[in-house]
């Protein structure tokens, strides 16, 4: 028995959802949602229920031909299978456990309706759990299946007549108790006669007694102690309203219960893991739910010809054709041997990772994320560790972030995302308080968008998904009155709903935290300047990291306004399918709000060869209908780009980031200027750190005169006026510049172009004085550690050497610095000059 | 569904000496009336029940063969939500043809279509060919806009008019063909306004106008 418990932790059963006759359409012209999809959506709530007397649901799977497979925990044997008779003391205890479970369900407005001796499980310790108690709930009172649910013997009279409410469970419970006391009822009768018998009870004064008599058990019934008879009779009242409630039953049974629950020692090791984790690992280790069902003959394969209908009517209804049983009461148990074997070498110590222990490095970490996600052992360690960290959230937030940077176990992605977004506090009651029902003018648009939003996803395409998405959108709009509904907000919300399908409040809290961080002001009624700035910045990043491609795209006038709005407005959630968005956002949430700009560049980079060889039409076609993008690669590249770029070049005005305080970090320029510049500007401090690390090559394009007066050390002078526009060759710049630039390109240095805006030329001179000061000071102090000098003491220099009155000039009017990536190509030479686009062309 | 043989009167592909004309066509209309579905049907011969909503705009091309010319449509499928309205001029300016779409089961969308027509008449090139498409004609049982009403409106305003269904493909190719036939196919491409040269978007110009016969 003990063995048994350990070997089989979960089992599956299967049934068919109802077929819609023919290809009927809903009122909106769209096809009706298949019943199986409705069932999947409905069943999600069951997956998160946890109660000691309920078998945890683990998975609901939709297969071909509307087949549904339900996977859930199992223990011991069903009451039906147990041969031994129970003492009255034991019966009270069993009854109490069942009543506890049903009380819990009723509190959640879930009616069992199918309670019977084959779905009440009991193990050798006397622990009772209900199995598959959600049939009625997931099939919407049996409406989504074509077979009657439940076993007639346990039906209450009103169930037979009209379906019955929660109190029907009380009746069934009464019958269970009665059977436990006196024996199985109506043993040799077919369902029809049983139903008739139950209906005739309507006239009986005492239904329990009458049933006992009918089954020749009256003598045994008389010997049942009064306290039990009393309870049974309170359950078997004909009028539902007269029956006891489970709340009452629980308290009565608790008083009677003498058997104290033996405190079973908590199982340690693998079998002590959370069941959802076990099931997940079991699948990774090769466990196959369907294969097992086939082996157990619960799924039978017959040649398709046998299941073909004999005739199909014009309205699509079919006649004839053999279909398998719609519902099979049997269950298939799954052995965990394979998983145990797979993880057998793991030491018991590893099951309890300690916070401050040094983490082991696993070989798998070098593999691509998609492979790591399928590696049993790797996931095992990750899951245990993340579970540990999540328990300590929010105190462990920094650890979680650091670990999430490596990867996020798919099973815990919803929890980890919420942690990364800083979601905490009483989100349920906050969400509860928001009015999600009152109609608003926006509903019309939301209603037409939701049935088009990620509908390939089983969760989002069902009715439950549609309703939840609408509630989330309405709640968000109401909470953020400064924002309006832009098409695309639906797609943006979808990943959060997908990961938190049964935890709408958390989905909402995540969205609520995500938008200010990544899409600050994008959903303003007038968001044009926000979007324009974003796109301009994106284009500059493309120029920085993909100069050759950017030049080509500039030339053919392929501008981001034409294709990239949905990319950024929805953070790619309108562009990619969910499984790709998840990986993209994993990185986004860790890296922060500049990453998306580089992700955009990453996508272009993947299309690079095609784009380079295409004209405007082909390019725009390609971006309208993106080919397969390798998201893993794209994420990797974009993180590299993001980290290797000087921070200031991706600076945006419209963010929620703390404002720049240090003048040397400042790169604010007027919008119009931003839109006209191809290359990004760099802040003084970023520039200095490039200089100090000898990672840049400075090209000063002011006039010779100004350059002679003062300049940045090591810069070369290529007076702008001396260069012929349209010259695309480095040679045209003169011999020395050619040599210096080629060398810089070879060493992958960043090219910084320094210039002075005309109108501020004189002031700039003064500013250059500041530079000379820097230089002279350096000479005089002759400190060897230059880097430290520039990085840390910059402020001191400013303060020490420039009188306070003129400092503001220093901040505003300075070298105009623009950077280009080190991968400068010859064709790019014209972009060396920070000219407005028109002139450059 | 044929993808490339959309013309009623066809010519084998690659037939020499065929004049090739390129026209820019824009689709306008309220959200969810089926603009993207019409284009998808016309370009790829497909229909997706769960066609995603369009954000910004999408671009597709398709070629139809007339008797003596091959007409290449450069199609801009725009976003229907009113909020995206400000982007629309970018797409219709410089277009030689427009299809304004409404949903026959929804009166509001017809009203919105009329506004689009007005805007085009005011702002777009004067020689633009406008077609009105009453889409979702397969849902005739739920019709809210009468055929006659729309026809009368189209006649008044000199628009091509057809009721279409992206779902059943009814009249989809036909409406594009009718437009192709009506478009002037002279050497200069019909003299649609604002043609030639690459221009900048910032000025509110078209992404790219091309109205040249080669
Ligand atoms: N019955 C029927 N449904 C259609 C037809 N055309 C489109 N639909 C459906 O209508 C819905 C909206 O179609 P879309 O093509 O996305 O509409 P749209 O005009 O592009 O919408 P936006 O992109 O939001 O501007 C989709 O669910 C389509 O399946 C049609 O001819 N008949
Ligand atoms: Mg569309």
């Amino acid at each position: 028995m003990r063995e048994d418990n350990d070997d089989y932790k979960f089992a599956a059963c299967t049934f068919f959802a109802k077929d819609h006759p023919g290809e009927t359409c809903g009122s909106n012209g769209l096809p009706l949602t298949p019943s199986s999809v409705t069932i999947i959506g409905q069943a999600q709530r069951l997956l998160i229920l946890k109660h000691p007397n309920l078998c945890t649901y683990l998975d609901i799977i939709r297969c071909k031909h509307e087949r549904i497979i339900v996977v859930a925990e199992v223990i011991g044997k069903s009451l039906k299978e147990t041969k031994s008779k129970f003492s009255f003391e034991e019966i009270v205890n069993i009854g109490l456990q069942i009543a506890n479970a049903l009380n819990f369900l009723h509190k959640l407005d879930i009616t069992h309706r199918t309670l019977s001796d084959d779905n009440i499980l009991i193990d050798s310790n006397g622990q009772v759990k209900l199995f598959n108690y959600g049939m009625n709930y997931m099939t919407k009172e049996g409406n989504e299946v074509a077979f009657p649910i439940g076993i007639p013997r346990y039906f209450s009279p009103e169930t037979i007549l009209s379906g019955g409410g929660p109190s029907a469970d009380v009746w069934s419970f009464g019958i269970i108790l009665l059977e436990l006391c006196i024996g199985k009822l109506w043993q040799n009768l077919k369902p029809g006669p049983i139903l008739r018998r139950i209906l005739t009870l309507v006239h009986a004064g005492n239904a329990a007694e009458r049933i006992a008599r009918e089954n020749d058990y009256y003598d045994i019934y008389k010997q049942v102690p009064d306290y039990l008879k009393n309870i049974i009779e309170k359950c078997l009242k004909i009028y539902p309203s007269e029956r006891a409630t489970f709340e009452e039953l629980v308290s009565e049974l608790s008083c009677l219960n003498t058997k104290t629950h033996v405190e079973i020692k908590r199982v340690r090791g693998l079998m002590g893991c959370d069941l959802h984790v076990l099931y997940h690992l079991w699948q990774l280790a090769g466990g196959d739910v369907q294969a097992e069902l086939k082996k157990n003959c619960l799924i039978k394969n017959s040649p398709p010809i046998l299941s073909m209908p004999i005739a199909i009517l014009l309205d699509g209804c079919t006649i004839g054709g053999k279909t398998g049983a719609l519902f099979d009461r049997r269950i298939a148990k799954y052995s965990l041997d394979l998983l145990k074997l797979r993880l057998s070498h793991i030491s018991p110590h590893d099951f309890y990772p300690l916070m401050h222990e040094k983490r082991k490095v696993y070989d798998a970490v070098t593999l691509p994320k998609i492979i790591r996600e399928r590696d049993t052992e790797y996931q095992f360690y990750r899951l245990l560790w993340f579970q540990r960290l999540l328990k300590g959230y929010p105190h462990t937030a920094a650890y979680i972030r650091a670990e999430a940077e490596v990867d996020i176990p798919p099973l815990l992605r919803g929890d980890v995302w919420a942690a990364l977004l800083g979601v905490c506090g009483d989100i349920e009651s906050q969400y509860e308080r928001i009015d999600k029902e009152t109609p608003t003018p926006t509903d019309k648009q939301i209603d037409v968008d939701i049935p088009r939003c990620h509908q390939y996803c089983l969760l989002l395409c069902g009715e439950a998904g549609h309703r939840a998405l609408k509630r989330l959108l309405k709640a968000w709009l109401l909470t953020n009155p400064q924002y309006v509904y832009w098409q695309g907000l639906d797609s943006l919300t979808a990943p959060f709903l997908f990961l938190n399908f049964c935890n709408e409040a958390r989905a909402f809290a995540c969205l609520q935290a995500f938008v200010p961080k990544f899409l600050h002001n994008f959903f303003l009624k007038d968001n044009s300047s926000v979007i324009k700035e974003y796109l301009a910045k994106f284009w500059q990043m493309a120029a920085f990291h993909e100069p050759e491609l950017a030049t080509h795209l500039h030339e053919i006038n392929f501008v981001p306004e034409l294709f990239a709005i949905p990319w950024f407005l929805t953070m790619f959630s309108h562009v990619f399918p969910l499984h790709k968005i998840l990986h993209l956002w994993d990185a986004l949430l860790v890296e922060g709000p500049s990453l998306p700009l580089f992700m955009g560049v990453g996508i272009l980079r993947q299309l690079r060869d095609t784009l380079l060889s295409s004209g405007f039409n082909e390019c725009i076609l390609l971006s309208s209908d993106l080919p397969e993008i390798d998201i893993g690669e794209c994420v990797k590249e974009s993180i590299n780009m993001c980290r290797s770029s000087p921070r200031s070049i991706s600076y945006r005005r419209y963010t929620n980031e703390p404002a720049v305080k240090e003048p040397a970090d400042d790169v604010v320029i007027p919008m119009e200027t931003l839109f006209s510049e191809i290359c990004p500007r760099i802040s003084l401090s970023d520039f200095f750190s490039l200089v100090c690390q000898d990672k840049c090559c400075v090209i000063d394009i002011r006039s010779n005169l100004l350059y002679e007066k003062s300049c940045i050390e090591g810069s070369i002078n290529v007076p702008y006026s001396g260069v012929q526009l349209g010259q695309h060759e480095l040679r045209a710049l003169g011999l020395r510049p050619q040599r210096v630039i080629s060398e810089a390109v070879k060493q992958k240095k960043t090219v910084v172009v320094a210039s002075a805006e005309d109108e501020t030329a004189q002031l700039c001179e003064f500013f250059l004085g500041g530079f000379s000061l820097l230089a002279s000071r350096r000479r005089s102090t002759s400190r060897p550690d230059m880097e430290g000098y520039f990085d840390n003491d910059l402020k001191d220099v400013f303060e020490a050497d420039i009188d306070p009155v003129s400092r503001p000039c220093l901040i505003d009017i300075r070298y105009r610095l623009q950077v280009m990536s080190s991968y400068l190509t010859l064709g790019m030479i014209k972009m060396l000059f920070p000219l407005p686009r028109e002139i450059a062309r | 569904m044929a993808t490339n043989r959309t013309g009623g009167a066809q010519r084998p592909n690659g037939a020499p000496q065929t004049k090739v004309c390129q026209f820019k066509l824009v689709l306008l209309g309220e959200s969810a009336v089926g603009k993207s579905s019409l284009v998808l049907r016309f370009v790829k011969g497909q229909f997706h029940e769960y066609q995603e909503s369009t954000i910004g705009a999408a671009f597709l091309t398709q070629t139809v063969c007339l008797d003596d010319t091959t007409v290449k449509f450069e199609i801009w499928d725009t976003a229907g939500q009113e909020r995206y309205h400000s982007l629309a001029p970018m797409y219709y300016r410089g277009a030689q043809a427009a299809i304004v779409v409404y949903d026959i089961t929804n009166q509001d969308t017809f009203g919105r279509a009329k506004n689009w027509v007005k805007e085009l008449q005011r702002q777009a090139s004067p020689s633009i060919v406008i077609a009105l498409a009453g889409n979702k004609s397969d849902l005739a049982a739920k019709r809210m806009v009468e055929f006659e009403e729309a026809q009368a409106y189209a006649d008044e305003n000199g628009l091509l008019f057809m009721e279409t269904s992206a779902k059943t493909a009814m009249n989809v190719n036909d409406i594009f063909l009718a437009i192709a036939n009506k478009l002037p196919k002279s050497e200069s491409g019909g003299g649609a306004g604002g043609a030639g040269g690459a221009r900048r978007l910032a000025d509110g110009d078209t992404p790219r106008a091309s109205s040249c016969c080669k």
Side-chain angles (χ1 to χ4, degrees), chain A residues 437-453:
Chain A
E437 306 301 331
T438 310
T440 64
T442 312
D443 290 1
K444 221 174 70 188
Q445 186 68 48
I446 294 178
D447 285 336
V448 296
D449 284 348
I450 285 178
R452 294 186 284 170
C453 179

Side-chain angles (χ1 to χ4, degrees), chain A residues 468-479:
Chain A
L469 187 52
K470 183 166 180 182
R471 280 194 299 268
L472 283 169
L473 289 171
K474 286 178 70 96
W476 188 83
L477 288 168
L478 202 80
T479 318

Side-chain angles (χ1 to χ4, degrees), chain A residues 663 666 668 681 757 760 807-815:
Chain A
D666 198 12
V668 183
R681 296 208 184 185
E757 276 147 312
T760 55
R807 250 187 78 203
C809 303
L810 232 180
I811 299 159
D812 291 328
I813 306 118
R814 57 167 176 243
Y815 256 132

Side-chain angles (χ1 to χ4, degrees), chain A residues 168-179:
Chain A
D169 287 346
V170 181
W171 176 282
S172 312
F173 176 70
I175 298 282
I176 293 281
L177 286 184
L178 188 61
E179 281 197 329

Side-chain angles (χ1 to χ4, degrees), chain A residues 532-673:
Chain A
K532 265 174 120 176
E533 184 197 35
Y534 208 97
L535 295 177
K537 241 17 214 178
F538 160 56
W539 225 215
Q540 289 189 345
M541 294 308 105
F544 186 76
H545 286 285
E546 280 293 336
E548 191 188 354
L549 183 58
T551 315
H552 171 66
L553 298 180
H554 274 287
E555 267 164 12
I556 59 171
N557 218 3
F558 177 78
V559 293
E561 281 81 355
L562 295 178
F563 65 94
I565 294 177
W567 291 14
F568 299 116
L569 183 75
T570 69
M571 283 297 140
F572 306 98
S573 63
H574 197 75
V575 185
F576 293 120
L578 276 169
H579 67 273
K580 291 193 172 175
I581 301 168
L582 296 182
H583 282 130
L584 215 64
W585 285 19
D586 279 355
L588 210 68
L589 295 177
V590 174
E591 289 292 317
S594 335
L595 188 67
L597 292 170
F598 298 98
M599 282 179 167
V601 182
I603 295 175
L604 291 182
R605 185 174 277 182
Q606 288 208 3
L607 308 175
R608 190 192 146 91
D609 293 344
T610 324
L611 290 174
L612 271 177
S613 60
S614 306
F616 176 84
N617 273 9
E618 295 77 43
C619 286
I620 205 88
L621 274 175
L622 196 69
S623 63
S624 273
D625 193 6
L626 279 180
E628 196 66 18
I629 299 281
D630 179 345
I631 287 296
E633 190 59 25
C634 177
V635 165
K636 215 171 75 195
E637 298 260 312
S638 54
I639 291 178
N640 280 342
M641 285 189 259
C642 186
R643 291 185 184 169
S644 67
S645 304
R647 271 184 69 87
S648 55
I649 69 166
S650 59
Y651 169 85
R652 286 184 299 121
R653 179 186 305 222
Y654 296 112
T655 61
N656 222 0
E657 303 284 278
V660 176
K661 283 203 201 78
E662 207 50 57
D665 289 332
D666 198 12
V667 277
V668 183
I669 49 170
M671 280 296 175
E672 282 315 311
T673 318

